[in-house]
Amino acid sequence: MGQIKSIGVLTSGGDAPGMNAAIRAVTRTAIYNNLNVVGIKRGYYGLVYNEMEAFSSKSVSNIIQQGGTILKTARCKEFATKEGRAMAYANMKAMGIDALVVIGGDGSLTGARIFAEEYDIPIVGLPGTIDNDLGGTDETIGYDTALNTIVEAVDKIRDTATSHERLFLVEVMGHMAGYLALNGAIASGAEAAIIPEMETEIDQLGDLINRGFRKSKNSAIVLVAENPSTGGAMGLAQRIKEEFPEYDARVTILGHLQRGGSPTAADRILASRMGAQAITALLEGQRNVMIGIKNGELVYVPFSKATHHSSTIDRHDVEIVKILSI
Ligand code: ATP
């Protein structure tokens, strides 16, 4: 592998607030180091179907505060095939791109690993997902903003829950990980968090709800992580209706509003540090690693470790929600 002269940057999978701050940091750090930068549109789709443009420092002006991604994002089935990746490689070479920075989640980094193994391309990944479900990093870009959005929403739901003395089940995202639900519950003072990492039996749920309703305000808020195997908040509401018909449970699914919004300062800083480090890593000769953060320090995480996430949910945090809602 020769010297890197030109890098391509793309965002892939679900969008996350802070992706723009990451694109800006990657672009400007690369230009600062005399590298050419190519912005690749719609994730891997832009590589496969040749949607790319040369980026200047100005291409990333005035975006640090914007949610979403100026490069757009997509799910690209073709890239999961050998033929699709061959097209991507040919386009990349024709554009003179020597290395890639991929900003995305689990699937995007799996795609990056496979592409790098097949074609011997230096690729550095950035963890861009609100779900915080990647290995080797304490936080992902977008997680803090989504958490703040959840807290703001739950604060508002609390007003109506208190006034009507109702039980609210608030479903949050997380893609099989309970970080948003658990930390959202701690930060909003919810009565419970139902997370995929821990089975919740119906009698435990009854206990949780009763505890909430013993309080003077006579309302309860339970944060529920999305979970196709249990039906998420709707599934839980059905179980409550059958087992505890005395409670008038209401469901709010926060959905995609958790993905939007201007990134928090924490996400902008994380994205800027990680984006700059991605270029440093490539220039140092690192390849096929994700930039992670552990105890405040940036670290290199091999793609295989980043995409094999085993939950780091602290059971004590579950206990904290319980203790603090008595
Ligand atoms: P989020 O966590 O927000 O869902 P993600 O990066 O996990 O983001 P995916 O839809 O799983 O999102 O993956 C994004 C893209 O990465 C896919 O559309 C596909 O182009 C590519 N990709 C995923 N898995 C593979 C794979 N096994 N081989 C090649 N490419 C893949």
Side-chain angles (χ1 to χ4, degrees):
M1 182 71 217
Q3 202 196 349
I4 295 171
K5 296 195 191 80
S6 182
I7 64 122
V9 57
L10 62 85
T11 49
S12 168
D15 63 313
M19 279 184 162
N20 280 328
I23 295 167
R24 172 180 176 269
V26 167
T27 301
R28 294 210 167 146
T29 310
I31 291 170
Y32 178 81
N33 285 284
N34 301 313
L35 301 177
N36 295 321
V37 181
V38 176
I40 300 159
K41 298 280 173 71
R42 301 183 175 80
Y44 292 120
Y45 185 92
L47 265 189
V48 175
Y49 293 106
N50 215 6
E51 290 188 15
M52 315 186 208
E53 66 176 80
F55 261 22
S56 67
S57 179
K58 211 168 160 222
S59 309
V60 294
S61 289
N62 203 18
I63 65 167
I64 195 168
Q65 76 281 22
Q66 290 174 24
T69 158
I70 59 157
L71 284 173
K72 315 286 183 201
T73 184
R75 317 233 183 225
C76 174
K77 282 196 231 108
E78 294 86 336
F79 194 74
T81 66
K82 261 189 175 301
E83 297 72 28
R85 291 192 296 276
M87 284 165 74
Y89 183 70
N91 288 331
M92 194 183 137
K93 285 289 119 183
M95 196 71 182
I97 300 171
D98 307 309
L100 287 178
V101 177
V102 171
I103 308 165
D106 188 37
S108 304
L109 299 183
T110 301
R113 179 181 55 73
I114 293 168
F115 196 40
E117 282 167 7
E118 249 170 23
Y119 289 100
D120 195 24
I121 310 159
I123 307 184
V124 168
L126 295 184
T129 167
I130 65 166
D131 302 331
N132 207 31
D133 62 344
L134 287 165
T137 188
D138 291 338
E139 288 219 357
T140 56
I141 297 166
Y143 171 64
D144 184 68
T145 306
L147 204 48
N148 277 283
T149 301
I150 289 167
V151 170
E152 201 184 324
V154 174
D155 286 350
K156 289 180 178 164
I157 291 167
R158 176 72 76 184
D159 290 343
T160 178
T162 309
S163 303
H164 281 278
E165 303 184 295
R166 267 184 186 142
L167 163 65
F168 267 83
L169 304 174
V170 182
E171 184 178 298
V172 301
M173 285 183 168
H175 191 242
M176 299 311 293
Y179 299 100
L180 286 171
L182 181 58
N183 287 316
I186 294 174
S188 62
E191 275 62 36
I194 307 292
I195 57 174
E197 290 85 348
M198 293 181 75
E199 288 224 345
T200 310
E201 300 302 331
I202 198 77
D203 55 333
Q204 283 174 292
L205 189 67
D207 176 51
L208 296 169
I209 296 167
N210 283 325
R211 269 192 300 110
F213 272 85
R214 273 205 301 274
K215 297 197 301 195
S216 58
K217 56 189 168 193
N218 275 350
S219 68
I221 293 189
V222 176
L223 262 64
V224 185
E226 62 183 355
N227 187 345
S229 63
T230 60
M234 294 300 270
L236 201 57
Q238 190 55 39
R239 281 165 73 189
I240 291 170
K241 206 170 156 191
E242 285 157 17
E243 304 278 338
F244 309 101
E246 64 276 26
Y247 293 119
D248 182 17
R250 297 297 162 105
V251 173
T252 301
I253 297 175
L254 295 186
H256 284 80
L257 77 83
Q258 295 163 90
R259 291 248 189 96
S262 180
T264 58
D267 268 330
R268 295 182 199 197
I269 295 166
L270 185 67
S272 300
R273 289 182 71 196
M274 286 181 161
Q277 192 65 35
I279 298 303
T280 306
L282 285 171
L283 293 175
E284 275 176 3
Q286 291 286 339
R287 42 166 58 211
N288 313 336
V289 290
M290 180 192 82
I291 310 293
I293 189 157
K294 277 277 166 194
N295 303 317
E297 298 282 329
L298 296 178
V299 292
Y300 298 140
V301 186
F303 283 150
S304 52
K305 189 173 169 204
T307 55
H308 279 103
H309 176 64
S310 48
S311 178
T312 53
I313 289 272
D314 188 341
R315 304 244 152 182
H316 188 239
D317 288 347
V318 179
E319 203 53 28
I320 283 178
V321 176
K322 202 169 160 185
I323 293 167
L324 299 188
S325 67
I326 55 171

